[in-house]
Amino acid sequence: NLPASPPLYLKVCGPKGCERFVTFSGQQIRINGDLCDVLVDRQGHVMVVGQETLWADAKAATKRGPYQIEARALETSL
């Protein structure tokens, strides 16, 4: 079963290299042992929130942590 939200591509780079994920808003991913929620707000801004990780792509959002994260919506039509 696929969620109703559009799929997301995330690239997470940290001290141990880069990982890539395809996921959906409301799903969880594990970043270096930290279980993180991936969330998308109504404006399409992506947030990654965990015990050790806080990241958002909105310009005004707080960005901190040891990771560089790239997030974007995947194309829905092939």
Side-chain angles (χ1 to χ4, degrees), residues 21-42:
F21 301 91
V22 175
T23 189
F24 296 87
S25 180
Q27 300 296 308
Q28 294 182 321
I29 61 174
R30 191 168 298 278
I31 301 174
N32 197 31
D34 188 15
L35 191 60
C36 299
D37 294 311
V38 177
L39 305 168
V40 179
D41 68 13
R42 288 183 159 201

Side-chain angles (χ1 to χ4, degrees), residues 5-6 11-13 17 28-30 36 43 60 63 72 74:
S5 62
K11 180 179 176 184
V12 180
C13 295
Q28 294 182 321
I29 61 174
R30 191 168 298 278
C36 299
Q43 288 77 35
K63 296 181 183 183
R72 64 180 167 84
L74 287 176

Side-chain angles (χ1 to χ4, degrees), residues 13-78:
C13 295
K16 295 183 179 182
C18 296
E19 295 181 83
R20 290 162 183 83
F21 301 91
V22 175
T23 189
F24 296 87
S25 180
Q27 300 296 308
Q28 294 182 321
I29 61 174
R30 191 168 298 278
I31 301 174
N32 197 31
D34 188 15
L35 191 60
C36 299
D37 294 311
V38 177
L39 305 168
V40 179
D41 68 13
R42 288 183 159 201
Q43 288 77 35
H45 298 128
V46 179
M47 295 164 279
V48 179
V49 182
Q51 290 284 23
E52 303 293 325
T53 306
L54 172 61
W55 180 88
D57 69 350
K59 289 182 182 179
T62 302
K63 296 181 183 183
R64 59 183 165 143
Y67 301 101
Q68 293 180 332
I69 300 175
E70 172 191 334
R72 64 180 167 84
L74 287 176
E75 297 295 325
T76 55
S77 60
L78 297 176

